[in-house]
Amino acid sequence: MPVVSAPDSLSDKQFSALNFPKETHEGFARVNISFPTLSSVSVCVRVQWHPEWNEVSTIFSYAAPVFTNEFQLRGQMDVQRRVLLALIIRGKHLPYKASFPNDGAWHHICVTWRRSSGHWAIYVDGDKKDMGLDTDTSKDIHGDGILILGQDQDSFGGNFTEPFCGNITDLNVWNMSLEARHISALTACSPMTQEMIFSWNLNQLSSHPVVKEIVDKHHTCLHMC
């Protein structure tokens, strides 16, 4: 599974990726930053799904000390070899509906949520694939949590289940609900001016030894799209 480099618009910033192997279910990476309380949030990430992996898989999970299922994105391959995506927001499991083909290519996924309206959305490769208003508008997402790539957290920071298999790169987090125009720009690898909580940086991640950094300098960012 190749990993790509960004084009000149990102000053040739290299997109190193993390590989979560099929051979073991222990792979994870932790984002080592402090998270504030979130009344709005957007998370964008590029994934390359393993072509032979059809189990329920967690792309990322955010858990807080007082509540583990705060914010999570998971997927599963169906009989048509589509990867169906679903959000969990403050414990509510939303439907598997948004999808992309499991074709070995990189796919850009963005998820957004705003407490004031309860609105959530899932974008795939720049297109809005699912949305709704049916979430709790009474509570923010708790701060001081742990963001894990590649595993569900059945307890705060541990008891991992439903592992992801494939490659992940370009994870970015905002404490705002991005608009469609922002997500279109991100899909095309254009730089963003909105301030991030977390911008993809392997130096701010710690991972299980089975998770390896991979990179291929012969590809461009647009080949992921």
Side-chain angles (χ1 to χ4, degrees), residues 15 20 32 44 50 53-54 57 63 71-73 76 84 88 121 129 147 149 165 168 180 203 206 217 219 222:
F15 279 89
F20 297 77
N32 295 319
C44 294
H50 194 289
W53 189 250
N54 58 9
S57 304
F71 199 62
Q72 182 182 137
L73 177 65
Q76 184 175 23
L84 303 178
I88 297 176
K129 296 291 189 178
L147 179 61
L149 297 180
C165 177
I168 292 177
N203 292 328
S206 56
K217 298 180 181 178
H219 292 73
L222 294 179

Side-chain angles (χ1 to χ4, degrees), residues 80-121:
Q80 301 176 43
R81 295 193 60 79
R82 300 175 304 168
V83 177
L84 303 178
L85 300 170
L87 271 173
I88 297 176
I89 304 174
R90 304 218 72 257
K92 182 168 184 176
H93 197 310
L94 299 167
Y96 286 99
K97 183 178 176 182
S99 70
F100 60 87
N102 188 9
D103 53 7
W106 284 98
H107 293 279
H108 187 244
I109 304 167
C110 286
V111 297
T112 67
W113 173 77
R114 181 185 298 112
R115 191 211 70 193
S116 61
S117 62
H119 182 272
W120 59 270

Side-chain angles (χ1 to χ4, degrees), residues 156-189:
F156 182 57
N159 287 339
F160 294 145
T161 60
E162 297 172 340
F164 169 82
C165 177
N167 297 330
I168 292 177
T169 190
D170 200 21
L171 174 83
N172 298 287
V173 184
W174 295 260
N175 60 346
M176 61 179 291
S177 179
L178 294 177
E179 300 176 10
R181 60 188 175 89
H182 299 141
I183 293 169
S184 294
L186 287 163
T187 302
C189 304

Side-chain angles (χ1 to χ4, degrees), residues 112-164:
T112 67
W113 173 77
R114 181 185 298 112
R115 191 211 70 193
S116 61
S117 62
H119 182 272
W120 59 270
I122 302 176
Y123 296 79
V124 179
D125 297 329
D127 296 326
K128 186 182 290 184
K129 296 291 189 178
D130 199 9
M131 62 174 289
L133 294 170
D134 51 348
T135 61
D136 185 1
T137 61
S138 65
K139 296 180 181 179
D140 293 335
I141 290 174
H142 289 96
D144 300 319
I146 295 174
L147 179 61
I148 295 288
L149 297 180
Q151 296 278 2
D152 179 20
Q153 303 174 62
D154 274 356
S155 62
F156 182 57
N159 287 339
F160 294 145
T161 60
E162 297 172 340
F164 169 82

